[in-house]
Amino acid sequence: MELIGRILDGSIPQDLKEALRRAEPSGFRVSHDEKMRHLEEVPLLADCTQKQLRALSDISRVVEVPAGTSLTRAGQPGDEFFVILDGSAAVEKPGKKRVFLRPGDFFGEMSLLDGGPRSVTVRAATALRVLVIDRKNFQNVLREVPDLTQKLLVTLSRRVRALETPEHP
Ligand code: CMP
């Protein structure tokens, strides 16, 4: 119900809605073993125990979207944290060079940490396979795996610097 409400009020980009719907429990599913294999390859999660990875596998969804799909829209609210499993995504910020995110990279943490709108638009540059964790589960994961917070903060600081540093022509 919450998903449908957010599609109707426009806070989920239209083209992400089908992908999220396919990843709902009744739709497209990825086996637990396959998710574990993906999770084990994500550098952000390198220090997680097998038990923690299993918990992450239980609360995350794997979503596939075509090239061109907007996963976040600058200025819009957002409730998902994404980890790229396959493909690449472009960070689009007006007046800045596009930054490409690749397998193992994550995005969407800023709005989940401070509750504010998305800082930038992130669009699938190729067909993309992402692991999606929603807001409530994201908060639980940070509580359960304190090392993750430390790693997120390092990347977050780099991103804030990049957003605030003027680009040289
Ligand atoms: P959020 O603001 O929730 O949604 C857009 C995401 O893009 C943001 O969280 C970060 O995860 C990511 N992001 C923002 N700025 C950069 C940047 N300069 N480089 C890489 N990723 C970024």
mmCIF file of all heavy atoms in Angstrom, residues 53-102:
data_model
loop_
_atom_site.group_PDB
_atom_site.id
_atom_site.type_symbol
_atom_site.label_atom_id
_atom_site.label_comp_id
_atom_site.label_asym_id
_atom_site.label_seq_id
_atom_site.Cartn_x
_atom_site.Cartn_y
_atom_site.Cartn_z
ATOM 1 N N LEU A 53 25.258 -11.016 6.936
ATOM 2 C CA LEU A 53 24.939 -11.048 5.508
ATOM 3 C C LEU A 53 23.617 -11.760 5.262
ATOM 4 O O LEU A 53 22.812 -11.348 4.425
ATOM 5 C CB LEU A 53 26.062 -11.739 4.714
ATOM 6 C CG LEU A 53 27.367 -10.964 4.561
ATOM 7 C CD1 LEU A 53 28.366 -11.752 3.722
ATOM 8 C CD2 LEU A 53 27.135 -9.597 3.922
ATOM 9 N N ARG A 54 23.380 -12.838 6.036
ATOM 10 C CA ARG A 54 22.094 -13.547 5.882
ATOM 11 C C ARG A 54 20.929 -12.628 6.251
ATOM 12 O O ARG A 54 19.907 -12.598 5.580
ATOM 13 C CB ARG A 54 22.071 -14.812 6.755
ATOM 14 C CG ARG A 54 22.652 -16.037 6.044
ATOM 15 C CD ARG A 54 22.256 -17.323 6.747
ATOM 16 N NE ARG A 54 22.728 -17.375 8.119
ATOM 17 C CZ ARG A 54 23.954 -17.737 8.485
ATOM 18 N NH1 ARG A 54 24.838 -18.099 7.565
ATOM 19 N NH2 ARG A 54 24.312 -17.746 9.749
ATOM 20 N N ALA A 55 21.136 -11.839 7.326
ATOM 21 C CA ALA A 55 20.077 -10.908 7.741
ATOM 22 C C ALA A 55 19.846 -9.869 6.642
ATOM 23 O O ALA A 55 18.710 -9.520 6.321
ATOM 24 C CB ALA A 55 20.462 -10.236 9.054
ATOM 25 N N LEU A 56 20.945 -9.388 6.039
ATOM 26 C CA LEU A 56 20.821 -8.408 4.948
ATOM 27 C C LEU A 56 20.089 -9.010 3.750
ATOM 28 O O LEU A 56 19.258 -8.358 3.123
ATOM 29 C CB LEU A 56 22.211 -7.962 4.493
ATOM 30 C CG LEU A 56 22.827 -6.796 5.244
ATOM 31 C CD1 LEU A 56 24.277 -6.627 4.835
ATOM 32 C CD2 LEU A 56 22.060 -5.521 4.931
ATOM 33 N N SER A 57 20.412 -10.259 3.468
ATOM 34 C CA SER A 57 19.761 -10.935 2.344
ATOM 35 C C SER A 57 18.255 -11.017 2.583
ATOM 36 O O SER A 57 17.458 -10.824 1.663
ATOM 37 C CB SER A 57 20.384 -12.321 2.177
ATOM 38 O OG SER A 57 19.604 -13.094 1.323
ATOM 39 N N ASP A 58 17.866 -11.271 3.837
ATOM 40 C CA ASP A 58 16.435 -11.397 4.150
ATOM 41 C C ASP A 58 15.670 -10.084 3.966
ATOM 42 O O ASP A 58 14.502 -10.109 3.605
ATOM 43 C CB ASP A 58 16.239 -11.862 5.604
ATOM 44 C CG ASP A 58 16.643 -13.313 5.781
ATOM 45 O OD1 ASP A 58 16.740 -14.021 4.756
ATOM 46 O OD2 ASP A 58 16.880 -13.727 6.929
ATOM 47 N N ILE A 59 16.349 -8.958 4.241
ATOM 48 C CA ILE A 59 15.591 -7.694 4.241
ATOM 49 C C ILE A 59 15.781 -6.875 2.945
ATOM 50 O O ILE A 59 15.212 -5.800 2.816
ATOM 51 C CB ILE A 59 15.956 -6.812 5.468
ATOM 52 C CG1 ILE A 59 17.447 -6.619 5.610
ATOM 53 C CG2 ILE A 59 15.376 -7.415 6.740
ATOM 54 C CD1 ILE A 59 17.944 -5.313 5.205
ATOM 55 N N SER A 60 16.573 -7.392 2.001
ATOM 56 C CA SER A 60 16.818 -6.607 0.786
ATOM 57 C C SER A 60 16.109 -7.242 -0.416
ATOM 58 O O SER A 60 15.743 -8.410 -0.378
ATOM 59 C CB SER A 60 18.321 -6.519 0.518
ATOM 60 O OG SER A 60 18.857 -7.810 0.389
ATOM 61 N N ARG A 61 15.935 -6.423 -1.446
ATOM 62 C CA ARG A 61 15.357 -6.916 -2.690
ATOM 63 C C ARG A 61 16.361 -6.685 -3.808
ATOM 64 O O ARG A 61 17.108 -5.712 -3.764
ATOM 65 C CB ARG A 61 14.088 -6.130 -3.034
ATOM 66 C CG ARG A 61 12.940 -6.405 -2.102
ATOM 67 C CD ARG A 61 11.787 -5.482 -2.405
ATOM 68 N NE ARG A 61 12.072 -4.124 -1.975
ATOM 69 C CZ ARG A 61 11.344 -3.061 -2.300
ATOM 70 N NH1 ARG A 61 10.306 -3.192 -3.088
ATOM 71 N NH2 ARG A 61 11.647 -1.854 -1.846
ATOM 72 N N VAL A 62 16.374 -7.574 -4.794
ATOM 73 C CA VAL A 62 17.206 -7.343 -5.975
ATOM 74 C C VAL A 62 16.287 -6.843 -7.082
ATOM 75 O O VAL A 62 15.256 -7.443 -7.352
ATOM 76 C CB VAL A 62 17.942 -8.626 -6.409
ATOM 77 C CG1 VAL A 62 18.670 -8.404 -7.726
ATOM 78 C CG2 VAL A 62 18.943 -9.043 -5.325
ATOM 79 N N VAL A 63 16.656 -5.710 -7.667
ATOM 80 C CA VAL A 63 15.810 -5.066 -8.671
ATOM 81 C C VAL A 63 16.618 -4.867 -9.948
ATOM 82 O O VAL A 63 17.780 -4.463 -9.888
ATOM 83 C CB VAL A 63 15.321 -3.694 -8.136
ATOM 84 C CG1 VAL A 63 14.482 -2.971 -9.179
ATOM 85 C CG2 VAL A 63 14.518 -3.874 -6.852
ATOM 86 N N GLU A 64 15.999 -5.163 -11.086
ATOM 87 C CA GLU A 64 16.664 -4.953 -12.379
ATOM 88 C C GLU A 64 15.938 -3.843 -13.120
ATOM 89 O O GLU A 64 14.709 -3.863 -13.199
ATOM 90 C CB GLU A 64 16.624 -6.241 -13.203
ATOM 91 C CG GLU A 64 17.462 -7.336 -12.570
ATOM 92 C CD GLU A 64 17.415 -8.643 -13.341
ATOM 93 O OE1 GLU A 64 16.498 -8.815 -14.173
ATOM 94 O OE2 GLU A 64 18.284 -9.475 -13.088
ATOM 95 N N VAL A 65 16.694 -2.880 -13.624
ATOM 96 C CA VAL A 65 16.076 -1.778 -14.365
ATOM 97 C C VAL A 65 16.832 -1.548 -15.676
ATOM 98 O O VAL A 65 18.036 -1.777 -15.748
ATOM 99 C CB VAL A 65 16.063 -0.452 -13.551
ATOM 100 C CG1 VAL A 65 15.232 -0.577 -12.292
ATOM 101 C CG2 VAL A 65 17.466 0.024 -13.222
ATOM 102 N N PRO A 66 16.126 -1.087 -16.716
ATOM 103 C CA PRO A 66 16.807 -0.809 -17.986
ATOM 104 C C PRO A 66 17.611 0.488 -17.947
ATOM 105 O O PRO A 66 17.365 1.348 -17.076
ATOM 106 C CB PRO A 66 15.651 -0.704 -18.996
ATOM 107 C CG PRO A 66 14.430 -0.425 -18.202
ATOM 108 C CD PRO A 66 14.665 -0.913 -16.791
ATOM 109 N N ALA A 67 18.545 0.622 -18.910
ATOM 110 C CA ALA A 67 19.318 1.871 -19.035
ATOM 111 C C ALA A 67 18.345 3.037 -19.143
ATOM 112 O O ALA A 67 17.291 2.923 -19.766
ATOM 113 C CB ALA A 67 20.205 1.794 -20.278
ATOM 114 N N GLY A 68 18.709 4.154 -18.516
ATOM 115 C CA GLY A 68 17.879 5.360 -18.602
ATOM 116 C C GLY A 68 16.948 5.535 -17.413
ATOM 117 O O GLY A 68 16.401 6.623 -17.221
ATOM 118 N N THR A 69 16.762 4.494 -16.605
ATOM 119 C CA THR A 69 15.857 4.594 -15.455
ATOM 120 C C THR A 69 16.439 5.529 -14.390
ATOM 121 O O THR A 69 17.603 5.408 -14.026
ATOM 122 C CB THR A 69 15.659 3.201 -14.796
ATOM 123 O OG1 THR A 69 15.209 2.297 -15.791
ATOM 124 C CG2 THR A 69 14.672 3.256 -13.634
ATOM 125 N N SER A 70 15.616 6.461 -13.883
ATOM 126 C CA SER A 70 16.057 7.308 -12.758
ATOM 127 C C SER A 70 15.777 6.564 -11.461
ATOM 128 O O SER A 70 14.635 6.196 -11.200
ATOM 129 C CB SER A 70 15.269 8.609 -12.706
ATOM 130 O OG SER A 70 15.324 9.261 -13.923
ATOM 131 N N LEU A 71 16.799 6.383 -10.676
ATOM 132 C CA LEU A 71 16.614 5.705 -9.385
ATOM 133 C C LEU A 71 16.417 6.713 -8.263
ATOM 134 O O LEU A 71 15.742 6.432 -7.283
ATOM 135 C CB LEU A 71 17.801 4.787 -9.108
ATOM 136 C CG LEU A 71 17.803 3.646 -10.115
ATOM 137 C CD1 LEU A 71 19.168 3.445 -10.701
ATOM 138 C CD2 LEU A 71 17.266 2.378 -9.520
ATOM 139 N N THR A 72 17.046 7.880 -8.406
ATOM 140 C CA THR A 72 16.755 8.996 -7.503
ATOM 141 C C THR A 72 16.568 10.222 -8.376
ATOM 142 O O THR A 72 17.144 10.305 -9.471
ATOM 143 C CB THR A 72 17.907 9.278 -6.509
ATOM 144 O OG1 THR A 72 19.038 9.796 -7.233
ATOM 145 C CG2 THR A 72 18.331 8.018 -5.751
ATOM 146 N N ARG A 73 15.766 11.155 -7.900
ATOM 147 C CA ARG A 73 15.562 12.422 -8.630
ATOM 148 C C ARG A 73 15.907 13.571 -7.693
ATOM 149 O O ARG A 73 15.334 13.660 -6.594
ATOM 150 C CB ARG A 73 14.101 12.561 -9.051
ATOM 151 C CG ARG A 73 13.719 11.623 -10.165
ATOM 152 C CD ARG A 73 13.280 12.395 -11.423
ATOM 153 N NE ARG A 73 13.088 11.472 -12.535
ATOM 154 C CZ ARG A 73 11.929 10.878 -12.795
ATOM 155 N NH1 ARG A 73 10.887 11.114 -12.043
ATOM 156 N NH2 ARG A 73 11.824 10.061 -13.823
ATOM 157 N N ALA A 74 16.810 14.445 -8.126
ATOM 158 C CA ALA A 74 17.218 15.584 -7.295
ATOM 159 C C ALA A 74 15.996 16.347 -6.812
ATOM 160 O O ALA A 74 15.077 16.636 -7.593
ATOM 161 C CB ALA A 74 18.126 16.508 -8.110
ATOM 162 N N GLY A 75 15.951 16.639 -5.517
ATOM 163 C CA GLY A 75 14.866 17.441 -4.946
ATOM 164 C C GLY A 75 13.641 16.642 -4.529
ATOM 165 O O GLY A 75 12.770 17.160 -3.846
ATOM 166 N N GLN A 76 13.568 15.359 -4.943
ATOM 167 C CA GLN A 76 12.411 14.524 -4.581
ATOM 168 C C GLN A 76 12.716 13.724 -3.308
ATOM 169 O O GLN A 76 13.868 13.430 -3.024
ATOM 170 C CB GLN A 76 12.123 13.517 -5.704
ATOM 171 C CG GLN A 76 11.750 14.151 -7.021
ATOM 172 C CD GLN A 76 10.275 14.538 -7.057
ATOM 173 O OE1 GLN A 76 9.436 13.787 -6.616
ATOM 174 N NE2 GLN A 76 9.998 15.712 -7.557
ATOM 175 N N PRO A 77 11.673 13.359 -2.563
ATOM 176 C CA PRO A 77 11.948 12.499 -1.410
ATOM 177 C C PRO A 77 12.376 11.105 -1.857
ATOM 178 O O PRO A 77 12.151 10.736 -3.012
ATOM 179 C CB PRO A 77 10.598 12.435 -0.677
ATOM 180 C CG PRO A 77 9.576 12.877 -1.649
ATOM 181 C CD PRO A 77 10.250 13.677 -2.725
ATOM 182 N N GLY A 78 12.983 10.359 -0.960
ATOM 183 C CA GLY A 78 13.391 8.998 -1.317
ATOM 184 C C GLY A 78 13.522 8.136 -0.078
ATOM 185 O O GLY A 78 13.915 8.636 0.979
ATOM 186 N N ASP A 79 13.176 6.883 -0.210
ATOM 187 C CA ASP A 79 13.180 5.974 0.948
ATOM 188 C C ASP A 79 13.988 4.710 0.715
ATOM 189 O O ASP A 79 13.802 3.734 1.433
ATOM 190 C CB ASP A 79 11.738 5.557 1.284
ATOM 191 C CG ASP A 79 11.024 6.644 2.070
ATOM 192 O OD1 ASP A 79 11.676 7.305 2.894
ATOM 193 O OD2 ASP A 79 9.821 6.848 1.830
ATOM 194 N N GLU A 80 14.849 4.717 -0.323
ATOM 195 C CA GLU A 80 15.589 3.486 -0.602
ATOM 196 C C GLU A 80 17.103 3.746 -0.626
ATOM 197 O O GLU A 80 17.549 4.811 -1.034
ATOM 198 C CB GLU A 80 15.188 2.889 -1.965
ATOM 199 C CG GLU A 80 13.765 2.381 -2.049
ATOM 200 C CD GLU A 80 12.777 3.487 -2.401
ATOM 201 O OE1 GLU A 80 13.215 4.533 -2.916
ATOM 202 O OE2 GLU A 80 11.570 3.311 -2.114
ATOM 203 N N PHE A 81 17.833 2.719 -0.195
ATOM 204 C CA PHE A 81 19.295 2.706 -0.276
ATOM 205 C C PHE A 81 19.641 1.646 -1.321
ATOM 206 O O PHE A 81 19.062 0.556 -1.321
ATOM 207 C CB PHE A 81 19.868 2.323 1.090
ATOM 208 C CG PHE A 81 21.352 2.093 1.108
ATOM 209 C CD1 PHE A 81 22.239 3.156 1.029
ATOM 210 C CD2 PHE A 81 21.875 0.810 1.237
ATOM 211 C CE1 PHE A 81 23.618 2.948 1.066
ATOM 212 C CE2 PHE A 81 23.252 0.589 1.283
ATOM 213 C CZ PHE A 81 24.117 1.670 1.197
ATOM 214 N N PHE A 82 20.580 1.975 -2.233
ATOM 215 C CA PHE A 82 20.887 1.070 -3.343
ATOM 216 C C PHE A 82 22.361 0.649 -3.312
ATOM 217 O O PHE A 82 23.239 1.477 -3.045
ATOM 218 C CB PHE A 82 20.676 1.789 -4.683
ATOM 219 C CG PHE A 82 19.279 2.321 -4.896
ATOM 220 C CD1 PHE A 82 18.951 3.623 -4.495
ATOM 221 C CD2 PHE A 82 18.296 1.555 -5.499
ATOM 222 C CE1 PHE A 82 17.676 4.134 -4.712
ATOM 223 C CE2 PHE A 82 17.019 2.055 -5.719
ATOM 224 C CZ PHE A 82 16.704 3.345 -5.323
ATOM 225 N N VAL A 83 22.607 -0.620 -3.616
ATOM 226 C CA VAL A 83 23.976 -1.100 -3.853
ATOM 227 C C VAL A 83 23.982 -1.684 -5.260
ATOM 228 O O VAL A 83 23.121 -2.516 -5.593
ATOM 229 C CB VAL A 83 24.386 -2.208 -2.849
ATOM 230 C CG1 VAL A 83 25.826 -2.653 -3.125
ATOM 231 C CG2 VAL A 83 24.250 -1.732 -1.408
ATOM 232 N N ILE A 84 24.936 -1.228 -6.086
ATOM 233 C CA ILE A 84 24.978 -1.721 -7.475
ATOM 234 C C ILE A 84 25.597 -3.121 -7.513
ATOM 235 O O ILE A 84 26.696 -3.336 -6.994
ATOM 236 C CB ILE A 84 25.781 -0.757 -8.375
ATOM 237 C CG1 ILE A 84 25.109 0.622 -8.383
ATOM 238 C CG2 ILE A 84 25.907 -1.318 -9.797
ATOM 239 C CD1 ILE A 84 25.789 1.648 -9.262
ATOM 240 N N LEU A 85 24.873 -4.044 -8.136
ATOM 241 C CA LEU A 85 25.385 -5.410 -8.289
ATOM 242 C C LEU A 85 25.977 -5.611 -9.686
ATOM 243 O O LEU A 85 27.024 -6.226 -9.839
ATOM 244 C CB LEU A 85 24.258 -6.427 -8.043
ATOM 245 C CG LEU A 85 23.601 -6.359 -6.658
ATOM 246 C CD1 LEU A 85 22.454 -7.359 -6.558
ATOM 247 C CD2 LEU A 85 24.621 -6.612 -5.547
ATOM 248 N N ASP A 86 25.288 -5.103 -10.714
ATOM 249 C CA ASP A 86 25.771 -5.205 -12.094
ATOM 250 C C ASP A 86 25.400 -3.937 -12.842
ATOM 251 O O ASP A 86 24.312 -3.401 -12.620
ATOM 252 C CB ASP A 86 25.076 -6.360 -12.839
ATOM 253 C CG ASP A 86 25.611 -7.705 -12.428
ATOM 254 O OD1 ASP A 86 26.835 -7.880 -12.479
ATOM 255 O OD2 ASP A 86 24.789 -8.555 -12.054
ATOM 256 N N GLY A 87 26.304 -3.503 -13.748
ATOM 257 C CA GLY A 87 26.005 -2.339 -14.573
ATOM 258 C C GLY A 87 26.573 -1.066 -13.964
ATOM 259 O O GLY A 87 27.302 -1.106 -12.972
ATOM 260 N N SER A 88 26.243 0.065 -14.586
ATOM 261 C CA SER A 88 26.741 1.324 -14.025
ATOM 262 C C SER A 88 25.641 2.386 -14.032
ATOM 263 O O SER A 88 24.699 2.330 -14.827
ATOM 264 C CB SER A 88 27.996 1.808 -14.774
ATOM 265 O OG SER A 88 27.657 2.477 -15.936
ATOM 266 N N ALA A 89 25.785 3.340 -13.094
ATOM 267 C CA ALA A 89 24.800 4.406 -12.938
ATOM 268 C C ALA A 89 25.540 5.735 -12.971
ATOM 269 O O ALA A 89 26.687 5.829 -12.528
ATOM 270 C CB ALA A 89 24.056 4.251 -11.615
ATOM 271 N N ALA A 90 24.873 6.760 -13.521
ATOM 272 C CA ALA A 90 25.499 8.084 -13.621
ATOM 273 C C ALA A 90 24.889 9.019 -12.589
ATOM 274 O O ALA A 90 23.667 9.078 -12.434
ATOM 275 C CB ALA A 90 25.290 8.646 -15.022
ATOM 276 N N VAL A 91 25.765 9.728 -11.869
ATOM 277 C CA VAL A 91 25.330 10.763 -10.928
ATOM 278 C C VAL A 91 25.263 12.064 -11.724
ATOM 279 O O VAL A 91 26.275 12.511 -12.265
ATOM 280 C CB VAL A 91 26.350 10.897 -9.770
ATOM 281 C CG1 VAL A 91 25.979 12.050 -8.853
ATOM 282 C CG2 VAL A 91 26.451 9.590 -9.003
ATOM 283 N N GLU A 92 24.075 12.643 -11.826
ATOM 284 C CA GLU A 92 23.884 13.827 -12.675
ATOM 285 C C GLU A 92 23.618 15.051 -11.816
ATOM 286 O O GLU A 92 22.619 15.126 -11.115
ATOM 287 C CB GLU A 92 22.687 13.602 -13.618
ATOM 288 C CG GLU A 92 22.907 12.423 -14.544
ATOM 289 C CD GLU A 92 21.696 12.120 -15.412
ATOM 290 O OE1 GLU A 92 20.641 12.752 -15.207
ATOM 291 O OE2 GLU A 92 21.824 11.250 -16.273
ATOM 292 N N LYS A 93 24.552 15.979 -11.881
ATOM 293 C CA LYS A 93 24.411 17.207 -11.104
ATOM 294 C C LYS A 93 24.634 18.353 -12.082
ATOM 295 O O LYS A 93 25.694 18.423 -12.723
ATOM 296 C CB LYS A 93 25.470 17.187 -9.989
ATOM 297 C CG LYS A 93 25.512 18.419 -9.146
ATOM 298 C CD LYS A 93 24.588 18.326 -7.958
ATOM 299 C CE LYS A 93 24.596 19.642 -7.199
ATOM 300 N NZ LYS A 93 23.358 19.927 -6.532
ATOM 301 N N PRO A 94 23.651 19.259 -12.234
ATOM 302 C CA PRO A 94 23.813 20.336 -13.221
ATOM 303 C C PRO A 94 25.127 21.099 -13.015
ATOM 304 O O PRO A 94 25.475 21.414 -11.877
ATOM 305 C CB PRO A 94 22.604 21.250 -12.944
ATOM 306 C CG PRO A 94 21.601 20.380 -12.249
ATOM 307 C CD PRO A 94 22.386 19.342 -11.496
ATOM 308 N N GLY A 95 25.838 21.325 -14.092
ATOM 309 C CA GLY A 95 27.078 22.091 -14.018
ATOM 310 C C GLY A 95 28.278 21.279 -13.568
ATOM 311 O O GLY A 95 29.370 21.813 -13.413
ATOM 312 N N LYS A 96 28.088 19.982 -13.339
ATOM 313 C CA LYS A 96 29.221 19.123 -12.910
ATOM 314 C C LYS A 96 29.380 17.982 -13.912
ATOM 315 O O LYS A 96 28.404 17.576 -14.548
ATOM 316 C CB LYS A 96 28.929 18.489 -11.544
ATOM 317 C CG LYS A 96 28.678 19.480 -10.445
ATOM 318 C CD LYS A 96 29.830 19.475 -9.469
ATOM 319 C CE LYS A 96 29.530 20.416 -8.332
ATOM 320 N NZ LYS A 96 30.688 20.732 -7.551
ATOM 321 N N LYS A 97 30.614 17.479 -13.990
ATOM 322 C CA LYS A 97 30.845 16.306 -14.832
ATOM 323 C C LYS A 97 30.100 15.122 -14.241
ATOM 324 O O LYS A 97 29.999 15.009 -13.013
ATOM 325 C CB LYS A 97 32.341 15.970 -14.858
ATOM 326 C CG LYS A 97 33.089 16.744 -15.886
ATOM 327 C CD LYS A 97 34.446 16.068 -16.171
ATOM 328 C CE LYS A 97 35.401 17.084 -16.724
ATOM 329 N NZ LYS A 97 36.557 17.357 -15.869
ATOM 330 N N ARG A 98 29.586 14.232 -15.132
ATOM 331 C CA ARG A 98 28.897 13.046 -14.601
ATOM 332 C C ARG A 98 29.897 12.128 -13.906
ATOM 333 O O ARG A 98 31.018 11.951 -14.371
ATOM 334 C CB ARG A 98 28.212 12.277 -15.732
ATOM 335 C CG ARG A 98 26.987 13.019 -16.241
ATOM 336 C CD ARG A 98 26.037 12.112 -16.953
ATOM 337 N NE ARG A 98 26.657 11.458 -18.094
ATOM 338 C CZ ARG A 98 26.038 10.534 -18.831
ATOM 339 N NH1 ARG A 98 24.804 10.178 -18.539
ATOM 340 N NH2 ARG A 98 26.637 9.983 -19.858
ATOM 341 N N VAL A 99 29.475 11.595 -12.769
ATOM 342 C CA VAL A 99 30.306 10.618 -12.051
ATOM 343 C C VAL A 99 29.627 9.272 -12.257
ATOM 344 O O VAL A 99 28.399 9.177 -12.175
ATOM 345 C CB VAL A 99 30.323 10.950 -10.534
ATOM 346 C CG1 VAL A 99 31.017 9.850 -9.742
ATOM 347 C CG2 VAL A 99 30.982 12.297 -10.277
ATOM 348 N N PHE A 100 30.412 8.230 -12.559
ATOM 349 C CA PHE A 100 29.810 6.914 -12.772
ATOM 350 C C PHE A 100 30.022 6.017 -11.560
ATOM 351 O O PHE A 100 31.125 5.976 -10.999
ATOM 352 C CB PHE A 100 30.383 6.258 -14.025
ATOM 353 C CG PHE A 100 29.877 6.914 -15.283
ATOM 354 C CD1 PHE A 100 30.575 7.971 -15.862
ATOM 355 C CD2 PHE A 100 28.673 6.516 -15.852
ATOM 356 C CE1 PHE A 100 30.099 8.608 -16.988
ATOM 357 C CE2 PHE A 100 28.188 7.148 -16.975
ATOM 358 C CZ PHE A 100 28.897 8.193 -17.556
ATOM 359 N N LEU A 101 28.950 5.364 -11.137
ATOM 360 C CA LEU A 101 29.026 4.403 -10.032
ATOM 361 C C LEU A 101 28.990 3.010 -10.638
ATOM 362 O O LEU A 101 28.286 2.772 -11.624
ATOM 363 C CB LEU A 101 27.851 4.615 -9.070
ATOM 364 C CG LEU A 101 27.741 6.014 -8.451
ATOM 365 C CD1 LEU A 101 26.477 6.137 -7.601
ATOM 366 C CD2 LEU A 101 28.976 6.325 -7.610
ATOM 367 N N ARG A 102 29.736 2.097 -10.023
ATOM 368 C CA ARG A 102 29.923 0.762 -10.622
ATOM 369 C C ARG A 102 29.591 -0.328 -9.598
ATOM 370 O O ARG A 102 29.319 -0.024 -8.445
ATOM 371 C CB ARG A 102 31.385 0.622 -11.084
ATOM 372 C CG ARG A 102 31.772 1.775 -11.985
ATOM 373 C CD ARG A 102 33.006 1.569 -12.817
ATOM 374 N NE ARG A 102 33.276 2.805 -13.587
ATOM 375 C CZ ARG A 102 32.634 3.128 -14.699
ATOM 376 N NH1 ARG A 102 31.705 2.338 -15.198
ATOM 377 N NH2 ARG A 102 32.916 4.264 -15.332
#
